[in-house]
């Protein structure tokens, strides 16, 4: 489908949703919003193929909020996501859209924390629940959740949920939901198992495909022929030549992720690994450092990187091409967004040539090949930011303004050297420009925030 320039005003949204859209500065709909929202708001089942960053969360967020009756204290909407990161993003977006709906309760339920710590949030039934299939099923089994009044079921990034083995959990959750419901299925790729899942869960769904072809205007895509034993040299050469402030390197396996990350580290690159064997806190901190730009290279599997939406990602590099061309398009679609130019590089061994042919068929054009660069400067670029941890968070009533005030007031840092501030329950993470990080650290250790002393250290 081709994009349109429809405005949200054409949808006749309820006043609280229309007001939120206006305050958030949304005017023109993205293609996925223009093509799905009329059907979504009409209560129809929808299966949509759209890549991360296409605006799909706003589309189904508006639709599900339109169906909620806040006077009914029952779970009315369930959104299933493959990862905690994506669930957190969806919950945040739903809350932003619901800012003018009084008394709406949204709860996020994911693994990584004990089930018992989430039970208090369910004492009064939330209207909207967002979570991962395994944890949702766990709460259903303990009778902490009840889906008898469910109106809308959303499966976000459905293809990755299947890749991660969640189909049995999804099926078990759906068994406890009413058959008379609206079911929305969003997926970046559209393999046979997704079609089969749609046939099982949905009734006469409206099928929408958008954003499946990456714009050449935004992404410069280049392929390099490389023997398997020379791939690390090739990867280092690309990083040294282009010096991206942030690069996401995709590998097939966890072992490759660990090996590539370790070897980049030995060569002086600031690299971190993201794979399924990390503990939740390790994973969260890896993503924080990358988002904060205190790590330049993130090496990940496709499954581990699902749901990531890193703003202004400069480069995506495929250590090995995926067998599914749609997965390749989803990889490179993470760069070149919001008017920023992006680079996508692929290191191709001779045995991967058939995969290249599949990509060319999907894109309906030949890929561009080039010779690897020979950079003169062999010293890797250091990350522009450093992430500092403060041993205090929401439970200590810390706010971003308190921390910014301490850094720019008593410590005397200019505001422009302070980056993202993430306040969690017990810890706060703040990005500081690397050349001022030591001063910030010393000031935080010697001074006080809201009249209290807190421990502080650099996240490594």
């Amino acid at each position: 489908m081709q994009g349109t320039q429809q405005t949200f005003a054409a949808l006749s949204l309820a006043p609280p949703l229309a007001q939120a859209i206006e305050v958030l500065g949304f005017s023109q709909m993205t293609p996925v919003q223009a093509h799905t929202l009329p059907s979504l708001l009409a209560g129809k089942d929808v299966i949509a193929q759209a890549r991360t960053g296409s605006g799909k969360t706003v589309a189904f967020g508006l639709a599900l909020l339109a169906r909620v009756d806040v006077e009914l204290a029952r779970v009315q909407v369930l959104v299933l996501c493959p990862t905690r990161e994506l669930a957190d993003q969806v919950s945040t977006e739903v809350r932003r859209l619901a800012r003018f709906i009084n008394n709406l309760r949204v709860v996020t339920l994911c693994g990584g924390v004990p089930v018992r710590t989430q039970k208090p949030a369910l004492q009064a039934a939330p209207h909207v629940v967002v979570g991962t299939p395994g944890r949702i099923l766990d709460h259903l089994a303990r009778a902490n959740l009840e889906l008898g009044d469910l109106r809308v079921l959303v499966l976000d990034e459905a293809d990755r949920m299947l890749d991660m083995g969640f189909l049995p959990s999804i099926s078990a959750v759906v068994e406890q939901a009413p058959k008379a419901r609206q079911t929305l299925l969003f997926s970046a790729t559209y393999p046979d198992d997704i079609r089969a899942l749609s046939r099982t869960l949905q009734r006469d769904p409206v099928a929408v495909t958008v954003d499946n072809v990456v714009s050449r205007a935004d992404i410069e895509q280049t392929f390099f022929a490389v023997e398997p034993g020379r791939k690390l040299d090739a990867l280092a050469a690309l990083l040294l030549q282009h010096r991206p402030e942030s690069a996401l390197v995709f590998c097939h396996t966890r072992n490759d992720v660990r090996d590539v990350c370790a070897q980049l580290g030995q060569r002086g690159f600031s690299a971190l690994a993201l794979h399924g064997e990390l503990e939740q806190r390790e994973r969260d901190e890896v993503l924080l450092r990358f988002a904060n730009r205190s790590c330049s290279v993130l090496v990940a599997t496709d499954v581990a990187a699902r749901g990531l939406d890193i703003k202004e990602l400069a480069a995506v590099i495929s250590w090995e091409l995926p067998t599914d061309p749609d997965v390749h398009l989803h990889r490179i679609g993470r760069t070149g967004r919001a008017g920023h130019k992006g680079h996508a590089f692929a290191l191709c061994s001779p045995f991967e040539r058939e995969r290249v042919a599949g990509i060319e068929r999907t894109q309906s054009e030949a890929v561009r090949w080039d010779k690897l660069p020979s950079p003169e400067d062999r010293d890797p670029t250091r990350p522009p930011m450093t992430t500092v941890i403060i041993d205090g968070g929401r439970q200590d009533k810390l706010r971003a303004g308190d921390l910014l005030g301490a850094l720019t007031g008593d410590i005397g840092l200019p505001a422009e050297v302070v980056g993202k501030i993430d306040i969690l329950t017990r810890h706060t993470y703040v990005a500081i420009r690397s050349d001022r990080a030591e001063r910030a650290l010393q000031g935080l250790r010697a001074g006080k925030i809201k009249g209290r002393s807190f421990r502080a250290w650099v996240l490594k």
Side-chain angles (χ1 to χ4, degrees):
M1 287 189 181
Q2 298 301 311
T4 77
Q5 288 299 305
Q6 274 185 272
T7 66
F8 283 98
L11 295 173
S12 300
L13 293 168
L17 295 177
Q19 189 179 359
I21 287 294
E22 183 179 355
V23 168
L24 291 169
F26 298 149
S27 176
Q28 304 291 337
M29 287 190 276
T30 67
V32 72
Q33 292 161 357
H35 288 302
T36 61
L37 268 166
S39 296
L40 293 174
L41 293 170
K44 297 178 182 177
D45 285 6
V46 171
I47 177 171
Q49 180 179 1
R51 62 191 177 100
T52 299
S54 60
K56 60 186 170 63
T57 308
V58 170
F60 70 69
L62 289 171
L64 64 86
L65 289 171
R67 298 289 306 278
V68 170
D69 176 5
V70 290
E71 300 299 322
L72 177 64
R74 305 280 286 172
V75 177
Q76 298 170 51
V77 176
L78 175 61
V79 184
L80 296 178
C81 303
T83 66
R84 176 179 171 179
E85 289 76 32
L86 184 59
D88 286 339
Q89 289 175 27
V90 169
S91 295
T92 298
E93 197 65 45
V94 170
R95 289 188 179 99
R96 291 174 73 210
L97 294 170
R99 60 180 58 195
F100 299 114
I101 302 176
N102 293 330
N103 303 319
L104 183 91
R105 295 191 67 240
V106 181
V107 169
T108 311
L109 302 173
C110 301
V113 295
V115 174
R116 66 179 184 278
T117 64
Q118 297 174 334
K119 187 175 179 179
L122 300 171
Q123 293 297 325
H127 300 99
V128 179
V129 174
V130 184
T132 48
R135 182 49 60 95
I136 296 296
L137 188 58
D138 201 343
H139 280 290
L140 287 169
R142 296 166 188 258
N144 296 338
L145 274 181
E146 204 278 322
L147 302 180
D149 289 275
L150 193 74
R151 300 179 178 186
V152 185
L153 172 66
V154 183
L155 277 69
D156 195 14
E157 308 282 17
D159 49 352
R160 286 307 156 205
M161 284 198 283
L162 298 192
D163 286 348
M164 295 167 74
F166 281 137
L167 181 57
S169 295
I170 292 170
S171 301
V173 169
V174 172
E175 282 179 8
Q176 300 194 42
K179 287 185 169 54
R181 65 174 190 270
Q182 182 182 20
T183 304
L184 314 178
L185 196 156
F186 289 82
S187 180
T189 60
Y190 206 15
D192 290 341
D193 53 359
I194 289 296
R195 299 172 196 271
L197 184 64
S198 171
R199 288 193 295 270
T200 302
L201 302 182
Q202 297 185 296
R203 296 172 299 174
D204 301 319
V206 176
V208 175
T209 301
V210 294
D211 291 336
N212 198 31
V213 178
V214 176
S215 169
R216 284 181 295 168
D218 298 328
I219 301 174
E220 185 178 306
Q221 190 178 182
T222 313
F223 287 66
F224 301 92
V226 185
E227 292 296 327
R230 302 291 298 171
K231 280 197 173 183
L232 194 74
D233 290 336
L235 176 58
L238 289 173
L239 292 172
L240 290 168
Q241 179 69 23
H242 294 277
R243 298 189 173 275
E245 202 167 89
S246 58
L248 181 51
V249 179
F250 281 104
C251 299
H252 270 359
T253 68
R254 295 173 184 176
N255 284 339
D256 281 346
V257 167
R258 283 188 286 258
D259 291 345
V260 170
C261 185
Q263 292 186 65
L264 284 175
Q266 290 170 7
R267 295 185 180 215
F269 291 94
S270 171
L272 291 174
L274 186 68
H275 54 74
E277 291 179 355
L278 295 178
E279 294 292 331
Q280 189 62 50
R281 177 160 178 178
E282 292 178 302
R283 178 182 173 84
D284 290 345
E285 291 187 344
V286 164
L287 293 175
L288 264 168
R289 284 185 62 187
F290 190 61
N292 286 354
R293 305 211 185 288
S294 60
C295 156
S296 300
V297 184
L298 183 64
V299 188
T301 59
D302 287 292
V303 171
R306 192 57 168 207
L308 291 189
D309 191 13
I310 305 297
K311 291 177 171 45
E312 299 179 28
L313 181 59
V316 170
I317 304 174
S318 288
W319 175 262
E320 181 179 338
L321 288 174
T323 54
D324 184 342
D326 279 343
V327 173
H328 173 75
L329 292 178
H330 189 65
R331 280 183 182 180
I332 68 175
R334 297 168 186 276
T335 186
R337 293 183 182 174
H340 296 278
K341 191 77 173 178
H343 292 277
F345 304 118
L347 307 177
C348 305
S349 303
F351 74 85
E352 297 173 66
R353 287 305 180 106
E354 183 52 42
R355 299 177 191 179
V356 176
I359 291 168
E360 290 179 324
R361 287 191 295 270
T362 301
Q363 294 185 164
S364 301
E365 64 179 359
V367 303
R368 185 171 75 89
W369 294 88
D370 202 353
K371 292 182 178 179
L372 285 163
S374 299
E376 295 179 5
D377 187 350
R378 308 299 296 183
D379 293 324
T381 304
R382 304 313 301 162
M385 307 295 280
T386 295
T387 298
V388 172
I389 306 180
I390 295 154
D391 195 21
R394 286 195 299 268
Q395 69 175 12
D396 303 289
K397 304 293 191 289
L398 282 186
R399 297 175 304 174
D402 301 326
L403 184 55
L404 186 61
L407 290 167
T408 58
D410 295 342
I411 299 173
L413 295 178
E416 59 267 22
V417 308
V418 182
K420 279 186 64 186
I421 298 174
D422 293 277
I423 301 180
L424 307 186
T425 303
R426 293 180 174 85
H427 296 91
T428 296
Y429 299 84
V430 56
I432 306 288
R433 206 172 70 193
S434 293
D435 62 346
R436 301 294 186 94
E438 185 59 34
R439 179 175 171 184
L441 195 61
Q442 291 176 358
L444 288 168
R445 287 170 173 170
K448 294 185 177 182
I449 306 171
K450 296 184 75 171
R452 291 182 57 191
S453 298
F454 292 93
R455 290 193 308 127
W457 63 96
V458 172
L459 177 58
K460 295 181 179 178

